[in-house]
Amino acid sequence: MPTTSRRNRRGDTPPPRTGSSETEVLRGFLDYLRMSVAAKVDGAPEPQVRTAGVPSGTNLLGLLNHLTFVERATFLGDRVTDWQATFRAAPADGVADVVARYRETVERANDVLDGCTDLGAPVPRPRPGSPAPSVRWALTHMIEETGRHAGHADVLRELIDGATGR
């Protein structure tokens, strides 16, 4: 197990200071978690970034790949038929590719959210006939999903090269 050197320690970024509206708080915390999990993967070394760090097979690159699919399904209406497969990045995809795809997906999701003024309204979906959750539910779900996997990413990154912090 690697030891954490001073060089591998990043300072923790405190929780965001948001506006007081429910929308500002939810979106502020989601963006904070999104930034944290992307930073945790960015710059991680190959092949360790795709090596299982725990018996379940979870790996750092796969976590971010999965979160990309969750963002796309929740906010962009993409249909996912095999959620387990989303936990594996394609062999040809490097760290920079997966991080860039995640950040681009987040940007597109935020574009959708920018047009949502009513948290109780359904998330706009390009998939006709598919029920959509409320914007409030979708934001809350993405906070818990991203936060859960950000915690996994913290542990996996530390096991890889000792890097800590958000």
Side-chain angles (χ1 to χ4, degrees), residues 97-111:
D97 301 316
V98 175
V99 170
R101 188 167 36 253
Y102 177 72
R103 288 182 172 145
E104 186 269 331
T105 297
V106 164
E107 188 176 311
R108 288 185 58 210
N110 278 338
D111 288 345

Side-chain angles (χ1 to χ4, degrees), residues 61-119:
L61 197 60
L63 282 176
L64 195 61
N65 193 65
H66 170 72
L67 284 170
T68 302
F69 278 90
V70 178
E71 290 270 355
R72 293 184 62 82
T74 302
F75 297 117
L76 306 177
D78 286 8
R79 186 176 308 276
V80 177
T81 58
D82 183 357
W83 281 105
Q84 279 308 113
T86 68
F87 281 97
R88 292 181 301 280
D93 286 343
V95 172
D97 301 316
V98 175
V99 170
R101 188 167 36 253
Y102 177 72
R103 288 182 172 145
E104 186 269 331
T105 297
V106 164
E107 188 176 311
R108 288 185 58 210
N110 278 338
D111 288 345
V112 169
L113 288 168
D114 287 345
C116 298
T117 57
D118 178 3
L119 291 174

